[in-house]
Amino acid sequence: IEWEALSIRSQASADLVHGKVEIRAESSAVAASLTLWNTGNVTVLRLDLPAKRESVVDDRKISASEDVGLLLDSYFRQLASPAG
């Protein structure tokens, strides 16, 4: 997959509960949203196009030992693969 659109937004960065960084990516086959919350949680959503079938890829607390860069890489590799 080649991502045709990519955006990164920070919202309420000082808010420990509602603050987040959201990464959105879109291709002709997939729209994805990856949210890193200030609480330490991550939420990854996938929307398969054109069927608009939504699925939750991950929704959990990130452990302190996890490398966020490697985690992001693994999510985007997973999102780029065909839905199964």
Side-chain angles (χ1 to χ4, degrees), residues 28-73:
S28 59
V30 176
S33 170
L34 191 153
T35 306
L36 296 166
W37 297 90
N38 284 358
T39 58
N41 289 10
V42 62
T43 304
V44 183
L45 304 175
R46 174 191 181 113
L47 182 66
D48 289 296
L49 304 171
K52 296 189 177 179
R53 183 178 63 239
E54 187 174 60
S55 56
V56 176
V57 175
D58 205 359
D59 187 16
R60 64 180 174 88
K61 182 93 170 166
I62 299 172
S63 75
S65 64
E66 285 183 280
D67 181 312
V68 174
L70 291 176
L71 188 62
L72 291 175
D73 183 61

Side-chain angles (χ1 to χ4, degrees), residues 8-14 20-22 38:
I8 301 172
R9 294 187 345 197
S10 176
Q11 183 177 329
S13 59
K20 64 183 177 179
V21 172
E22 184 178 42
N38 284 358

